[in-house]
Amino acid sequence: MPLLPEEPQIHESAQGPVATPASSRVAPTPRPVPGPRPAAPARPGRPGPPRPAPPAQRAPRDVAPAKPSPSGPAVPVAAAAGPQIQLIPASAEGALDAAEEALDLLLDSGRAPGEVLVLTTGARHPWAEHELSFGEASYWAQHDAGDDVFYADGAMAARAASRPVVIVAVNGDDAAAAATALPVAHTRAGALLIVCGDPQQINAVLGAGV
């Protein structure tokens, strides 16, 4: 019987990644990653004993955008002009925590504390309550110094100076307060506006107001 040449064996190779069809829904955009920046000073502690006298006034610096909080997917909000706007979905009860997480990431990425303004539309941030207990003159002197994160409520937003980054926690049920504070926050943000709250409510305000 004649010998047949041995047929080459075909070894099954590892398969590469399988392309999956794109979803019909629009996926959230990736969070922006800030470029390399000089290390920022350490973030101040939580409310505690009275602070020493604030340093002399200095102007905030204009810098590049930074990334938002991981509390939820960052959803871009369309705006004709002005700062980049990012929405972090959160409930009214969780909006302040989401804003704190966003702030932590900004500072960890190299953003200087004096470049960030945090606004609330409902109850004041505990830091603001603490500093206001020493009087409005001391409270606004720290704002004017411009070397620390500054917290204010929506009613005070109009008095606050512009900063490269503004974070808004929509932490109350007062829709009118949010409708007033969000457009003001937009005008105060130089590079990035991060809004933590109900997406439908925020888009309704920002979509019509900016």
Side-chain angles (χ1 to χ4, degrees):
M1 179 176 184
L3 297 176
L4 298 176
E6 183 177 355
E7 295 183 0
Q9 296 182 2
I10 301 176
H11 297 279
E12 184 176 337
S13 59
Q15 296 182 354
V18 179
T20 56
S23 172
S24 60
R25 300 177 59 186
V26 179
T29 56
R31 301 184 181 115
V33 179
R37 295 176 46 81
R43 181 181 176 189
R46 301 292 182 182
R51 297 170 176 235
Q57 179 177 356
R58 71 181 185 187
R61 299 173 296 167
D62 291 330
V63 291
K67 62 184 179 180
S69 163
S71 300
V75 181
V77 180
Q84 178 185 1
I85 304 175
Q86 291 179 347
L87 167 60
I88 299 176
S91 64
E93 295 77 15
L96 194 56
D97 287 339
E100 283 291 296
E101 291 178 11
L103 176 61
D104 287 340
L105 278 177
L106 287 167
L107 299 181
D108 290 345
S109 72
R111 182 71 68 176
E115 297 172 346
V116 185
L117 171 66
V118 179
L119 301 176
T120 58
T121 65
R124 288 175 180 155
H125 189 279
W127 185 94
E129 290 283 7
H130 173 72
E131 296 301 330
L132 281 167
S133 68
F134 300 107
E136 286 201 19
S138 173
Y139 172 77
W140 287 107
Q142 295 190 47
H143 164 272
D144 295 338
D147 60 354
D148 201 352
V149 177
F150 191 76
Y151 298 83
D153 60 27
M156 298 175 172
R159 183 173 172 181
S162 298
R163 294 198 177 189
V165 181
V166 175
I167 303 174
V168 182
V170 184
N171 62 329
D173 297 327
D174 189 343
T180 300
L182 287 174
V184 175
H186 183 264
T187 66
R188 296 298 183 268
L192 178 63
L193 173 62
I194 300 174
V195 188
C196 308
D198 177 65
Q200 185 174 359
Q201 178 186 11
I202 295 167
N203 275 293
V205 173
L206 290 179
V210 301

